[in-house]
Structures are given as C-alpha cells and as structure tokens.
C-alpha cells in the first residue's frame, strides 16, 4: 500500500522491527499528513537513499503508555521511605494532589510527558481525575486541569488520550449511594455521573489529543451511575478505562454490598466491551477472566507500579488466552520505561509459575505498541507500515546493555536488555521529538522535572 500525498521526509532505518521480525535496511517515507507513505525493504534499501535521515539502531513503532497519572511522578522516591500498603501510599498521593493548580499541573505534566518522549513513548493515556480546585469548587473553566494536560502533551511533542475520570465517592455503600468523598477527594468529584458527563462533553479532540472516559473504580462510582459513564463513551465510540480489582479490599467491599465481584458488577451495567480496558485486573476469579475475555475487554498491566505498591501479580497469561488484549502502562511512574514494563510482565509470570517463555519478545512489543495504541483509541498507530501514523522510536544496539547481540534478535534485546536510557530518537507524525537522546522541544528535561516537583512541595 502507498499513501497518496507529498513525501515530506525520508528516513533510513538501520534495523526495524516489523511486528514479526527485525528487517535490516528499511526506507520509510513520511507523507505531509504525518503518516507513513511507504516502507521499502530488500534490494535497493541496503544503504541510505540520497537525502534520507539515518537512524542507527533498532527502530520500533512508538510506544504507547496506556495508563498514566502524571502528578504521581512527584511521588517518586518520597514514597519509598519506610514501609506501608497501597492505602498508606494513597495518603502521600492526596497531599501532592492538594497542591496542584492548572499552572503547576501543566508544568509538571509537560516535564513528565517529555520524560516519556525520551523513553520512546509517543502516546499516553492520561487517567485524569483532579478536576476542580481544593474543596471541589470548579475553576472558571471547569476543564482547566484537563486542558492543561492536553497542552502539556502538545508542548512535549507526544499524543494524548485524556481519559477524563468519573470519581464520585470514597467507597461503596449500596446500589445507589456511595460514601461521601473525603476532603482530599472533593476536587475529584463532579457530584453525579450526569454532572461529570456534562463537564467532559465540553472537551474537544484535536490533532494530537483524543477524549476518552474512565471510571475510577467500582468503589468511586456508585453502581447505579456506572451506565451513565458507559453510555457517554458508547455514544462517542470513545475509549473507556477503569481500575479493576487492584486491591482485595475493593473486591470484598463489592461482594458485601452487591453480592458480586467488581467485574460482574461492571458487566451488569454495560461497562465491558472491546473499547473498554481494565487497568491492573489483579485479583480476579475464573468467572471474571471469562467475562473479560468473552467481551474482549482489554487489560492494561502496570507491573512496576503493581510491584511497587505490593498489589500482586495479575493473571495476564490467562486473560490473554481468554481473549483480553494486553497493553502496558507506567501508572504511578515509579519508573517511566515501557521496555521495563514489558520485561516485568514476563518476569513476574516466571516468578509466579516457575516456568519461562510465556510471551515471545514480539508479543511483548505488540502489547507495548499496537495493542496499547488501540486501547487509547488509535488503531492506526503502533505499526511500521504504509498508512499508519509516522510515530516511531529508535533504540541503540551499541550501548553497554545492548552491545554484542545479533541484530536479528533486536526484539529480544529491546525487551530483555534495553532500558529507556537506550532510546536515541523519538519521532511523532514524522517530526523528530527526541534526537540523539536529547529532547528537541524542551532543552533541559531534568531541570524542568526538578522545578515542577519542588513547586508542589511548597
């Protein structure tokens, strides 16, 4: 297939991962609409054509970070002091959330998304729930915080799917009522799902940004209001994400109030389906796994966060075998490294099962690329082929971590040896965002991170 349109730029890829194998010497043409116009391999592509920009190393489709809370980046290291649980970690998170303003959130998210670009991420799913001022008072623009995130992604040069999140309650009471939000949670809540839907409907997609929906969890959205959020997403054919069975306490509360698991409750209210992604999906029953797979509801695993918070190891192998597509996220940003997330999913399973090789390197890269982009509403991304978005990233094959491996085993090298530090180039819509390991739009990303995080400490 060749896309019509003027060829804006030509890249020559020393090695490229094409989904099933690594191909040496690939010429990639970018059309003026920011899509791949043509991909040429084989005879004639062994050397760079005249005028082509040369990318040495292994080029992959851009990585998709399917689950992010940008402000959690400010918690890195601070929450590693001492011991505790998910629930004590949450107290630290609330303190950071209380200090956010549209201006400070823009500055932090801009730096965080730049860090993602440096890690080869070209698209982020931002699970966004800090909507209002402290105390729950709306800003003059009720979507000021969401707009700050969208603009931050634009300035960092990556795509975003803003998963605007319904977060209405502190816990489960019954079918119709949740526990009133605590003082920290007031700025997350719109009061009702109908009010949430009215506010989020004012957000508009743009070239680099899509608008999706999220249900924070069954503990944060009363059961009787789940269908409102699901209907909003269905009417717009938008992605819908939900934290699902991350903690056993959530399962216990749901069973006590509703006599069913969170997965079964979501199914009852029309939440599951092929545009829905459950995040974590850690503590599931056999029936839950069958429901998620049977409805082709996706699963976003966030291994570095799940192990950091001692959540547990989710049944990713069984979910995929049941029919649930897998994607990956960095969630709380204990680290931002999608290669580590892919590696951790396999290695966690090895520890749990005491057997090796649950996924091939190709399958893990597919979760980090094509299936992640699809979960974020961009099925036209995540592949190096004509017609796809010209979003890709290049990993060094000559670093201290990657040197010596056979180029044809580049997928294995990327997943099981490389890290985000090995990313040399990131290209979005055919435009260099990261060149030779440096961000092209934000001159000093570490300083931008340090300053934004320091500002939140007051």
């Amino acid at each position: 297939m060749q896309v019509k349109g003027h060829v804006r730029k030509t890249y020559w890829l020393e090695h490229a991962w094409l989904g099933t194998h690594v191909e040496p010497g690939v010429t990639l043409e970018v059309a003026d609409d920011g899509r791949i116009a043509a991909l040429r391999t084989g005879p004639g592509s062994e050397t760079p054509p005249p005028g082509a920009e040369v990318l040495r190393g292994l080029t992959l489709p851009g990585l998709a970070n399917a689950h992010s809370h940008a402000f959690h980046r400010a918690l890195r290291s601070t929450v590693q002091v001492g011991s505790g649980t998910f629930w004590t970690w949450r107290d630290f998170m609330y303190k950071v959330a209380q200090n956010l303003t549209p201006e400070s959130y823009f500055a932090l998210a801009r730096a965080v998304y730049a860090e993602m670009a440096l890690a080869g991420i070209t698209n982020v799913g931002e699970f966004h729930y800090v909507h209002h001022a402290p105390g729950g008072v709306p800003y003059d623009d009720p979507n000021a915080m969401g707009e700050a995130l969208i603009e931050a992604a634009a300035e960092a040069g990556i795509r975003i799917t803003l998963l605007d999140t319904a977060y209405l309650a502190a816990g489960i009471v019954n079918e119709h009522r949740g526990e009133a939000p605590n003082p920290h949670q007031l700025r997350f809540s719109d009061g009702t799902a109908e009010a949430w839907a009215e506010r989020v409907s004012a957000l508009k997609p743009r070239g680099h940004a899509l608008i999706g929906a999220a249900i924070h969890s069954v503990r944060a959205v009363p059961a009787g209001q789940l269908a409102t959020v699901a209907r909003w997403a269905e009417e717009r054919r938008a992605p819908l994400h939900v934290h699902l069975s991350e903690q056993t306490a959530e399962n216990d509360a749901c069973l006590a109030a509703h006599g069913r698991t969170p997965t079964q409750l979501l199914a009852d209210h029309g939440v599951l389906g092929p545009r829905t992604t459950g995040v974590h999906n850690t503590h599931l029953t056999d029936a839950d796994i069958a429901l998620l797979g049977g409805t082709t509801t996706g699963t976003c695993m966030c291994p570095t966060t799940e192990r950091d918070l001692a959540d547990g190891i989710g049944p990713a192998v069984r979910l995929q075998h049941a029919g649930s597509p897998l994607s990956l996220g960095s969630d709380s940003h204990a680290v931002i490294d999608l290669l580590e997330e892919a590696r951790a999913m396999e290695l966690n399973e090895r520890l749990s099962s005491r057997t090796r090789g649950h996924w091939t390197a190709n399958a893990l890269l597919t979760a980090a690329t094509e299936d992640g982009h699809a979960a974020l509403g961009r099925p036209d991304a995540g592949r190096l082929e004509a017609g796809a978005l010209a979003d890709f990233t290049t990993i060094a094959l000559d670093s201290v971590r990657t040197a010596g491996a056979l180029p044809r085993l580049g997928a294995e090298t990327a997943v099981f040896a490389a890290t985000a530090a090995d990313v040399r180039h990131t290209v979005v819509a055919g435009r260099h965002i990261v060149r030779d390991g440096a961000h092209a739009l934000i001159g000093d990303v570490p300083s931008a991170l340090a300053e934004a995080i320091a500002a939140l400490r007051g």
Side-chain angles (χ1 to χ4, degrees):
M1 173 183 177
Q2 180 138 352
V3 176
K4 294 180 180 178
H6 178 262
V7 172
R8 187 174 77 200
K9 192 165 189 177
T10 300
Y11 289 92
W12 183 80
L13 318 178
E14 184 180 29
H15 303 282
W17 180 70
L18 300 183
T20 58
H21 68 287
V22 172
E23 185 77 19
V26 175
T27 300
L28 185 154
E29 295 179 347
V30 179
D32 53 13
D33 63 355
R35 293 180 179 272
I36 298 174
L39 207 68
R40 297 189 177 89
T41 63
S45 285
E46 301 93 337
T47 58
E53 182 152 357
V54 175
L55 301 184
R56 298 284 179 188
L58 174 68
T59 297
L60 311 169
L63 305 176
N65 188 353
H67 189 67
S68 162
H69 303 290
F71 77 91
H72 289 190
R73 175 62 178 81
L75 298 170
R76 191 182 293 179
S77 299
T78 302
V79 292
Q80 309 306 331
V81 178
S83 59
T85 66
F86 168 87
W87 307 102
T88 55
W89 169 90
R90 191 174 69 159
D91 291 336
F92 284 99
M93 180 270 288
Y94 285 153
K95 291 176 183 177
V96 173
Q98 282 298 100
N99 291 332
L100 291 170
T101 65
E103 294 76 20
S104 66
Y105 206 1
F106 165 78
L108 177 60
R110 177 178 178 267
V112 173
Y113 296 154
E115 182 182 356
M116 290 184 193
L118 289 168
I121 293 163
T122 59
N123 191 14
V124 60
E126 184 60 43
F127 200 102
H128 165 54
Y129 56 83
V130 186
H131 301 305
H132 308 298
V137 178
Y139 290 102
D140 290 342
D141 175 358
N143 287 304
M145 296 293 262
E147 293 289 353
L149 293 166
I150 291 171
E151 182 58 26
E155 291 209 7
I158 70 171
R159 303 182 194 273
I160 184 172
T161 297
L162 187 74
L163 298 161
D164 195 289
T165 304
Y167 192 136
L168 310 174
I172 301 171
V173 175
N174 56 39
E175 180 78 11
H176 304 289
R177 185 169 65 87
E179 182 183 341
N182 68 37
H184 296 294
Q185 296 166 334
L186 287 172
R187 68 182 313 189
F188 307 161
S189 177
D190 291 293
T192 66
E194 289 76 13
W196 167 86
E198 181 178 357
R199 177 184 55 74
V200 74
S201 293
L203 286 163
K204 301 303 178 188
R206 54 217 75 172
H208 77 293
L210 300 179
I211 308 301
I215 292 164
H216 181 273
S217 57
V218 297
R219 71 177 185 273
V221 177
Q225 300 189 57
L226 292 170
T228 299
V229 183
R231 185 165 54 251
W232 185 95
E234 175 64 27
E235 287 171 353
R236 291 158 180 79
R237 314 295 288 175
L240 173 61
H241 288 213
V242 55
H243 290 135
L244 179 57
S245 289
E246 181 179 6
Q247 292 289 318
T248 55
E250 175 184 300
N251 289 359
D252 294 343
C254 191
L255 284 165
H258 303 298
R260 56 221 316 98
T261 67
T263 302
Q264 292 166 331
L265 188 70
L266 294 175
D268 290 348
H269 292 274
V271 174
L272 304 185
R275 283 189 309 283
T276 299
T277 297
V279 181
H280 304 303
N281 293 2
T282 307
H283 303 286
L284 302 177
T285 67
D286 291 346
D288 292 340
I289 292 170
L291 261 176
L292 293 168
T295 55
T296 62
T297 299
T299 294
C300 180
M301 303 299 290
C302 306
T304 65
T305 292
E306 288 150 6
R307 67 192 183 197
D308 182 55
L309 298 181
D311 286 345
I313 299 172
V317 171
R318 295 177 60 203
L319 282 161
Q320 189 168 50
H321 288 168
S324 178
L326 298 179
S327 56
L328 297 166
S330 63
D331 193 1
S332 70
H333 312 315
V335 297
I336 293 177
D337 188 339
L338 263 287
L339 301 175
E340 171 62 21
E341 303 295 345
R343 174 163 57 246
M345 189 163 69
E346 167 65 25
L347 298 187
N348 281 354
E349 195 66 34
R350 292 183 185 186
L351 282 174
S352 177
S353 66
R354 291 181 287 177
T355 59
R356 303 175 76 229
H358 302 277
W359 292 277
T360 64
N362 288 333
L364 292 167
L365 286 178
T366 297
T369 57
E370 182 175 1
D371 288 348
H373 290 289
L376 298 179
R378 293 196 183 271
D380 54 350
R383 298 179 303 282
L384 297 181
E385 65 178 34
L389 292 172
D391 299 354
F392 44 91
T393 187
T394 303
I395 296 170
L397 294 179
D398 57 358
S399 76
V400 293
R401 289 165 292 278
T402 61
L406 295 171
R408 65 180 175 81
L409 298 178
E412 286 75 12
T413 301
V415 171
F416 293 106
T419 73
D422 296 309
V423 170
R424 291 295 174 265
H425 307 285
T426 301
V427 174
V428 178
R431 178 177 68 147
H432 249 105
I433 301 302
V434 173
R435 186 188 298 273
D436 297 321
H439 202 286
L441 306 179
I442 300 172
D444 188 345
V445 177
S447 291
L449 283 163
E451 291 168 10
I453 292 168
L456 291 178
R457 295 194 185 112

